[in-house]
Amino acid sequence: MKKILLILSLMLFTIAGFAQQKLVPVKVDSLVTVSLPEKYVRKDTLGQSTFSGNSQYGYMVVIRAPNADNNKPLKKERDLNKVLKDYITGIKGQSKGSAQYVRDTTIGHLKAKTFTLSTDEGAGVKLRNFIIIYTQEVTYTFEYFYEEARQDLVKEEYKAFSSSIKLSPELKRTDQYLSNAKGLSPAAKYGIYGGGALIVIIVIVVLMRRKKRDQEE
């Protein structure tokens, strides 16, 4: 019996090796490319393009979604941060999941947001690694689905997928927001204005005490 189980294990290991999907470069559009399983499927609906395919350990999806025609250019980085934050909130709401490991990264000249969405609908925890790239014209979403039990197995495959995202040099940071000026954060403004007001109060108190002292003398 042990010999049979050993043979079956070896057969499954061999089959898994042959089942490994080769990743090939795919043009999402004239500005963006990414590597996907060789047998990927493309669907175009109402101007939105979706590319998907089964990999060895997970499932890869790339969505190219044009933004609204009346979409106004973002002015500053904090406006971009708000858009990305709202995007993550929307995904969490649709999937009733939790966002983990949310962080900023840079791809080409553009700022991107990455996070992992964790969901559990009773059949075990499912994870989806997201990479979001926003431009004024288009929002690109790169997703990698896998089961939590495969978390250690998917690392190399996900790295190959995520590192394959290539952007044209034509895409600049101004395609995301217009001004690179950081400006002052609300907390910094509050500190400056609050500190200034405190100094004025102190000066007034000192002058009033001095005036009172002079009158008493």
Side-chain angles (χ1 to χ4, degrees), residues 14-69:
T14 303
I15 291 170
F18 283 115
Q20 184 173 1
Q21 289 282 345
K22 178 183 177 183
L23 300 184
V24 296
V26 175
K27 288 186 68 173
V28 179
D29 56 23
S30 61
L31 299 173
V32 179
T33 61
V34 65
S35 292
L36 292 171
E38 199 167 14
K39 296 180 180 179
Y40 72 90
V41 176
R42 173 174 178 165
K43 293 183 179 180
D44 296 291
T45 307
L46 300 176
Q48 176 175 296
S49 298
T50 302
F51 306 76
S52 59
N54 285 301
S55 60
Q56 183 179 6
Y57 298 116
Y59 186 66
M60 299 176 182
V61 178
V62 177
I63 300 173
R64 179 192 184 276
N67 296 324
D69 292 335

Side-chain angles (χ1 to χ4, degrees), residues 39 53 59 88 98 102 125 138 147 176 181 210-211 216:
K39 296 180 180 179
Y59 186 66
I88 295 174
S98 61
V102 181
V125 177
V138 178
E147 297 177 359
Q176 296 187 297
R210 181 178 296 175
K211 183 177 180 181
E216 291 175 351

Side-chain angles (χ1 to χ4, degrees), residues 66 109-110 157 167 192 199:
H109 298 295
L110 304 188
E157 187 171 82
L167 307 184
I192 292 174
I199 291 173

Side-chain angles (χ1 to χ4, degrees), residues 51-197:
F51 306 76
S52 59
N54 285 301
S55 60
Q56 183 179 6
Y57 298 116
Y59 186 66
M60 299 176 182
V61 178
V62 177
I63 300 173
R64 179 192 184 276
N67 296 324
D69 292 335
N70 61 350
N71 190 42
K72 295 181 180 179
L74 303 179
K75 294 181 179 180
K76 296 184 179 181
E77 186 176 3
R78 66 168 175 261
D79 299 322
L80 173 63
N81 292 337
K82 184 178 185 306
V83 168
L84 295 174
K85 182 179 179 180
D86 291 343
Y87 189 98
I88 295 174
T89 301
I91 291 176
K92 286 168 54 181
Q94 292 175 2
S95 305
K96 296 181 180 179
S98 61
Q100 306 171 352
Y101 316 117
V102 181
R103 67 181 183 86
D104 295 329
T105 188
T106 301
I107 300 177
H109 298 295
L110 304 188
K111 180 176 181 177
K113 183 74 76 174
T114 72
F115 67 98
T116 298
L117 183 74
S118 176
T119 58
D120 187 355
E121 297 179 355
V125 177
K126 310 291 184 184
L127 300 174
R128 292 160 65 185
N129 291 347
F130 278 85
I131 300 174
I132 312 299
I133 302 176
Y134 171 91
T135 69
Q136 182 184 340
E137 303 294 333
V138 178
T139 298
Y140 301 91
T141 306
F142 303 84
E143 305 178 40
Y144 182 85
F145 296 70
Y146 58 100
E147 297 177 359
E148 186 181 43
R150 296 184 175 184
Q151 197 163 10
D152 292 332
L153 296 174
V154 305
K155 290 180 180 179
E156 291 300 320
E157 187 171 82
Y158 176 65
K159 182 179 179 181
F161 171 60
S162 59
S163 63
S164 73
I165 301 171
K166 305 297 180 187
L167 307 184
S168 167
E170 294 178 23
L171 284 173
K172 305 293 185 183
R173 188 59 67 91
T174 49
D175 289 300
Q176 296 187 297
Y177 55 89
L178 301 179
S179 175
N180 284 323
K182 296 292 184 180
L184 293 174
S185 67
K189 289 180 179 178
Y190 180 81
I192 292 174
Y193 298 147

